[in-house]
Amino acid sequence: MATFVPFITRLDTAFWSTVNKKSFTIGSLTNLRSQLQHNDTVGSECSLSLNHESFNSIENSKDLTISGSLLLFNTAEGFKAAATAENKQKLLEAEALKIWNAITSHSWLQNPKLLSTFSIISFADLKKFKYYSLTCVPAFVYPKDIEQEINTVSNYNLDDASLLSYHKKTSSPVFLFSKKSSTILEIFDLKNQSSPDDVVIVIADPSPVPNTAGWVVRNVLAAVAHLHPSWRHCHVISLRSSGSVGIKFKWALPDEQNELTVPKAVGWDKTPYSVNLRDELDPVKLMDKSVNLNVSLIKWRLHPDIKLERYSELKVLIFGAGTLGCNIARSLSGWGIKHFSFVDNSTVSYSNPVRQSLCEFEDARLERGKAETAAAALKRSYPSIQANAYKLTVPMPGHTIDEKDEAELEKDVKKIETLVKEHDVVFLALDSREARWLPTVLATKHRKIAISVAIGFDTYVVIRHGIGLRKDSVPHESTSEAVPYSQLSCYFCSDVTAPGNSTVDRTLDQQCTVSRPGTSFIASGNACELIASVLQYPDPLQTPASPDDNTTMLGSVPHQIRGFLSKFQQILPIVKRFERCVGCGDAIAQQYQQNGWKFVRDVMNSSSKLEKVSGLDELQDSVNAIDIDFEEDDEE
């Protein structure tokens, strides 16, 4: 009994990508073409391969192709309805009728490609990038009970190379070889043949299986049996560039088959084809790969041991979503950092968009909050970023509070502390000295990496605060070259007075930060690269401040970066912690630990409390008590 190798449908990523991009009308037929290969030698099925070029017109095509159609559904229910046994049979019969009409009208002799076609029904879940399909390649079970006898090509006294050359030149899928004249004839001459032994039917066959003809041969045999009802056999060359096969097909007397009765046909896939291409087609996933590639190139080309996962897993909290906060977040996202939270209580003004890289004119016109604007802009620029916005007022020393507002203060302090605990790095990009106080206290308490960034008109400073409490720091031998992380000063360590309300008795123009426009970008870029370097130390929480270029694979890791644009100069001072600091001092931490938000309330109502708790007031008194007598020398 003769067997025929069926088709397997191979729809590559480019095919489904085209489905995504093209505006196909759901439920309508779309013409396709599949280019067949007659040089396959691997596998047990003929390949019906489709890609992005399958949507091009098949007219004037010189390739070995099979034409077909795609019926696309946009719901799973529509696809399931089309895939019922009843509806699949209707579609099969409709396609089989077209082929049978080509056979009975003899038009296939003019265009043998009419004998082969395919239909695909598909459901494309364009949001999840999941695709499902069923393919039908109709083939007649006619004539019945076909048997085969394998022959070598040499038995027919023909040259395999000449047949392949003719096929390549004409792209004809079916043609004849005359045994009498030893010449190649067009398939149209088949109707003039009286004996099946006078000619060999040459069929370009995509079958990869030796001694077994492909699916396309079935309909050719049906056409031959209908054209010559008296024939009981025919000779076929299964033309393959990997080695053609000679086959003699034999069959019994066919049943009476009138022109209006279509023989039974088969050809549906047994099971639906499904594929999830989210990683290949989802634009967000594609951007993920591109962003990862940017930082991966650093690893591949420059620093094979760089720990990129420390960036992608980092959670960053930014106090202040203004000029500095926006630029810091922008820069950090370039390292593949995806987790951001912004804290800011102000709204976007019309002066902001030209200086703040994450806000636009519409944000100012609609008076959107700076935090929500920055978070939304980050997600627009890179959808995989998780950006959160919190419209909170950071409690500040010297900014007095009424008793009726204490409940709200307690709530805000607890929320801010929770945010600090939940993040790995805290950036202080606020526009006043006193606004940095509470975040400094909390970052110290919870041993978080904290970096302050501040700018003046033509100056800037980037400071990474010492880690943890001073009393808990592990003794390290510091040198003039390197100082342990735990011994580094914070933003307030160089102050001998407590921060107070800097807005008192100051006009609006005096309250605004006036700076050269490029200052923020320089300071923010330095802050970004500072944390990038810190994260490459074996234990980031132990990163010493050192000018040594070998501190990490990215180079030195300074404590402070102070820049002066008037001279285009930058210095890298290292300053140790001050035991009586109003920000990171142990006495301040102890008071907050004991009294929590109530301590914050007291500081807000009287910033001098910080001086009393830290011992700064005693230091000030001791300095004032010093009496220096200068002896007068008449001669001098």
Side-chain angles (χ1 to χ4, degrees), residues 389-408:
Y390 300 93
K391 191 169 186 178
L392 292 170
T393 299
V394 178
M396 295 175 279
H399 291 246
T400 57
I401 182 173
D402 293 333
E403 186 175 346
K404 62 181 177 62
D405 297 324
E406 290 184 359
E408 190 67 23

Side-chain angles (χ1 to χ4, degrees), residues 10-316:
R10 305 185 190 280
L11 308 174
D12 72 5
T13 304
F15 175 86
W16 292 118
S17 178
T18 305
V19 170
N20 280 8
K21 293 176 182 178
K22 287 183 175 289
S23 301
F24 293 120
T25 303
I26 300 300
S28 66
L29 290 175
T30 301
N31 293 327
L32 301 173
R33 70 180 178 94
S34 172
Q35 185 170 336
L36 305 182
Q37 302 291 336
H38 48 68
N39 57 359
D40 288 343
T41 59
V42 179
S44 59
E45 295 166 309
C46 302
S47 292
L48 185 70
S49 301
L50 293 100
N51 55 32
H52 66 287
E53 294 182 343
S54 300
F55 296 91
N56 297 336
S57 173
I58 64 172
E59 293 182 7
N60 301 322
S61 173
K62 292 187 177 181
D63 299 324
L64 176 59
T65 60
I66 174 174
S67 62
S69 60
L70 170 69
L71 182 58
L72 186 65
F73 294 92
N74 65 345
T75 64
E77 292 73 19
F79 175 71
K80 290 177 181 178
T84 61
E86 180 181 358
N87 287 329
K88 286 198 300 180
Q89 185 61 29
K90 288 181 180 179
L91 181 56
L92 174 61
E93 291 175 355
E95 294 302 312
L97 177 60
K98 296 176 184 177
I99 299 173
W100 188 247
N101 288 338
I103 291 174
T104 56
S105 66
H106 297 172
S107 58
W108 74 277
L109 294 171
Q110 300 285 352
N111 183 8
K113 291 184 178 182
L114 295 175
L115 295 178
S116 298
T117 188
F118 66 89
S119 296
I120 298 175
I121 57 173
S122 175
F123 163 53
D125 188 339
L126 300 181
K127 290 185 177 179
K128 297 181 178 179
F129 300 95
K130 294 182 178 179
Y131 306 90
Y132 307 84
S133 66
L134 273 170
T135 303
C136 174
V137 184
F140 292 118
V141 185
Y142 175 83
K144 296 180 180 179
D145 303 324
I146 301 175
E147 296 182 357
Q148 68 179 32
E149 179 182 307
I150 303 299
N151 296 309
T152 61
V153 176
S154 59
N155 287 349
Y156 296 114
N157 296 321
L158 50 80
D159 179 16
D160 197 17
S162 64
L163 297 180
L164 288 169
S165 177
Y166 179 84
H167 166 67
K168 184 176 181 180
K169 180 180 179 180
T170 64
S171 298
S172 178
V174 185
F175 53 94
L176 301 176
F177 177 79
S178 173
K179 291 183 179 181
K180 290 183 177 180
S181 62
S182 297
T183 57
I184 297 175
L185 305 174
E186 293 183 4
I187 189 62
F188 187 79
D189 288 323
L190 182 62
K191 69 178 183 179
N192 300 322
Q193 304 299 320
S194 57
S195 171
D197 297 316
D198 290 341
V199 292
V200 179
I201 303 172
V202 184
I203 305 173
D205 193 352
S207 171
V209 182
N211 300 331
T212 305
W215 201 249
V216 295
V217 175
R218 296 188 71 153
N219 288 345
V220 177
L221 297 179
V224 172
H226 180 273
L227 182 65
H228 294 289
S230 62
W231 288 11
R232 298 294 174 268
H233 70 272
C234 69
H235 299 277
V236 169
I237 292 293
S238 173
L239 186 64
R240 314 175 193 186
S241 57
S242 57
S244 299
V245 180
I247 308 174
K248 180 180 180 181
F249 289 102
K250 298 181 290 185
W251 56 86
L253 181 67
D255 296 334
E256 285 294 328
Q257 196 75 41
N258 62 50
E259 307 295 317
L260 300 178
T261 304
V262 181
K264 177 184 176 182
V266 294
W268 276 107
D269 287 341
K270 293 181 180 180
T271 57
Y273 161 90
S274 63
V275 63
N276 186 343
L277 296 177
R278 183 176 180 84
D279 288 343
E280 287 75 17
L281 298 181
D282 186 348
V284 175
K285 292 291 183 179
L286 293 177
M287 186 170 186
D288 280 340
K289 292 181 180 180
S290 298
V291 171
N292 292 338
L293 176 61
N294 287 342
V295 292
S296 294
L297 288 173
I298 299 174
K299 185 180 184 74
W300 298 339
R301 294 181 179 178
L302 301 172
H303 300 292
D305 297 325
I306 192 170
K307 299 174 180 64
L308 297 179
E309 69 279 1
R310 291 187 175 179
Y311 303 123
S312 60
E313 297 170 0
L314 195 71
K315 295 182 179 179
V316 176

Side-chain angles (χ1 to χ4, degrees), residues 343-358:
V343 176
D344 201 304
N345 72 330
S346 57
T347 57
V348 179
S349 66
Y350 284 110
S351 66
N352 295 152
V354 295
R355 296 182 295 115
Q356 299 177 7
S357 57
L358 294 178

Side-chain angles (χ1 to χ4, degrees), residues 498-511:
N501 190 338
S502 60
T503 64
V504 173
D505 297 328
R506 297 179 69 185
T507 61
L508 179 62
D509 64 300
Q510 291 174 326
Q511 295 177 33

